[in-house]
Amino acid sequence: MNLSGTIALAHGSGGRVMHQLVDELIRSTFSNPLLEEGEDQARIPLAELVVQGDRLAFTTDSYVVTPLEFPGGNIGTLAINGTVNDLAVGGAKPLYLSCGFIIEEGLPLETFARILQSMRLAADEAGVQIVTGDTKVVQRGGADKLFINTAGVGVIPAGFNPSAGGAQVGDVVIVNGWLGDHGAAILNARGDLALEADIESDCAPLNALVEAMFAACPDIHCLRDATRGGLATVLNEFAERSGVDMVLKEDTLPIRTPVRGMCEILGLDPLYLANEGKLVAVVPAAAAQAVLAAMQRIPEGYHACIIGEVVEGDGHVILQTAFGGERIVDMLPGEQLPRIC
């Protein structure tokens, strides 16, 4: 397909031009046996699912990030990794994804093709297949270049039951590495603030990391990826639903110097910055070192560390500062940064 042009309304008309876009660009990029059947739905053999677990996990998310491309990823890699991670932190093995595209008239075909190729590579890395989808084109001004919706299906093996309400007194809190990189990278990529910082998004699939964690400790009590709202929001959900307090130690929080510096300049709290390749786990203290060792053998977990503990309380997150004080880390009251994923 000639990629020198731009998306036109005809690419969403349902006619020959649309079929050319779907067949020669989208389907050819994501090619796999289920997609090649060319039906309006993916027909997935149940027998292949049953042998992998006893529950089906199903999730969906939409991606509207601006700019479309940024250091460390683009809207396509976000869409794949975000849905893979939503399945993985539920204990599921991600298997199949759908992709829905809402494209604004005028988007360069070459840009769209580049994003599709990134999605294919991200799917391959995560071991999932894109098996169905949809394409709509809206007139100029009807969207902001490109929006993507992805839905995902996975299978949860028997015995895996992480829950936001599962934290117990005595547990420890673990993260898999540097916090806030994605939010800081998007803010820097927008270029509105004339900041000079070399920061890349942490966008990555976490399913291999989660698999290693469950192999080390099948009884992980809480597990969630820390996307919008960052670490603080996830821990507040855990604390509230579990009826306990979470105590964080400020000097153990992994935050890169450029991210911390950007936050100090702009008055942002890195605990609320978004991540796209970070998870938060609450595990029994007796299993903490085994889980850490398993995480640190996976690239996405090289910098995993313990950042706090679970204590008796009524649902608060408390930060013990480096100066010996304490402050409550509440749920984010509003939007710190819009359109970050």
Side-chain angles (χ1 to χ4, degrees):
M1 185 176 185
N2 184 352
L3 301 179
S4 61
T6 61
I7 291 288
L9 290 176
H11 285 114
S13 66
R16 184 179 300 279
V17 176
M18 175 177 166
H19 281 81
Q20 184 183 25
L21 178 75
V22 171
D23 292 339
E24 297 183 15
L25 191 56
I26 300 176
R27 184 173 291 151
S28 64
T29 301
F30 297 156
S31 180
N32 60 69
L34 289 174
L35 191 62
E36 291 306 318
E37 290 180 1
E39 302 292 346
D40 283 344
Q41 69 293 129
R43 301 174 180 181
I44 301 169
L46 290 177
E48 295 181 9
L49 304 180
V50 171
V51 298
Q52 298 186 67
D54 63 359
R55 287 156 293 165
L56 198 66
F58 176 43
T59 188
T60 188
D61 209 340
S62 298
Y63 298 85
V64 297
V65 66
T66 183
L68 293 182
E69 298 172 287
F70 46 83
N74 59 46
I75 190 172
T77 55
L78 275 184
I80 299 299
N81 291 329
T83 299
V84 165
N85 293 344
D86 283 347
L87 291 169
V89 295
K93 176 181 174 61
L95 295 172
Y96 303 110
L97 267 59
S98 73
C99 292
F101 299 102
I102 298 176
I103 315 170
E104 185 182 33
E105 178 188 17
L107 179 73
L109 280 164
E110 191 274 338
T111 300
F112 187 48
R114 188 166 60 246
I115 290 171
L116 291 176
Q117 188 60 35
S118 296
M119 295 176 73
R120 172 58 188 265
L121 293 174
D124 289 347
E125 182 180 1
V128 300
Q129 293 183 319
I130 299 165
V131 295
T132 190
D134 181 56
T135 302
K136 295 290 190 299
V137 177
V138 298
Q139 72 280 9
R140 293 177 188 271
D144 188 1
K145 302 179 185 66
L146 176 65
F147 297 154
I148 300 176
N149 172 271
T150 46
V153 172
V155 177
I156 305 174
F160 291 179
N161 294 294
S163 166
Q168 299 177 16
V169 173
D171 288 348
V172 300
V173 182
I174 296 175
V175 296
N176 62 314
W178 305 107
L179 298 168
D181 286 3
H182 178 72
I186 294 298
L187 185 59
N188 196 44
R190 289 178 183 169
D192 298 333
L193 302 172
L195 297 175
E196 293 185 5
D198 184 16
I199 305 172
E200 288 192 355
S201 169
D202 61 341
C203 186
L206 298 175
N207 51 324
L209 178 67
V210 171
E211 185 175 344
M213 293 170 67
F214 275 109
C217 175
D219 187 29
I220 293 174
H221 292 163
C222 307
L223 190 61
R224 187 73 63 83
D225 52 340
T227 53
R228 281 182 301 172
L231 173 72
T233 298
V234 171
L235 289 181
N236 270 283
E237 291 177 2
F238 289 171
E240 289 179 9
R241 293 185 59 180
S242 300
V244 296
D245 282 356
M246 305 272 175
V247 178
L248 302 180
K249 300 181 188 306
E250 186 176 36
D251 56 3
T252 67
L253 296 174
I255 301 170
R256 297 183 196 275
T257 300
V259 174
R260 193 181 295 278
M262 178 181 288
C263 288
E264 289 175 354
I265 292 171
L266 302 176
L268 301 174
D269 188 335
L271 297 182
Y272 296 102
L273 281 184
N275 310 274
E276 288 295 340
K278 295 297 177 299
L279 58 77
V280 188
V282 176
V283 306
Q289 292 305 318
V291 172
L292 272 181
M295 295 174 74
Q296 290 165 352
R297 287 193 287 269
I298 305 293
E300 289 75 21
Y302 281 164
H303 301 289
C305 59
I306 295 173
I307 60 169
E309 60 182 341
V310 180
V311 301
E312 290 185 358
D314 52 3
H316 292 105
V317 177
I318 302 163
L319 180 69
Q320 292 182 341
T321 70
F323 299 104
E326 290 187 346
R327 71 174 173 92
I328 297 292
V329 180
D330 209 346
M331 190 81 78
L332 188 65
E335 187 73 79
Q336 190 168 236
L337 294 173
R339 295 191 60 190
I340 54 174
C341 60

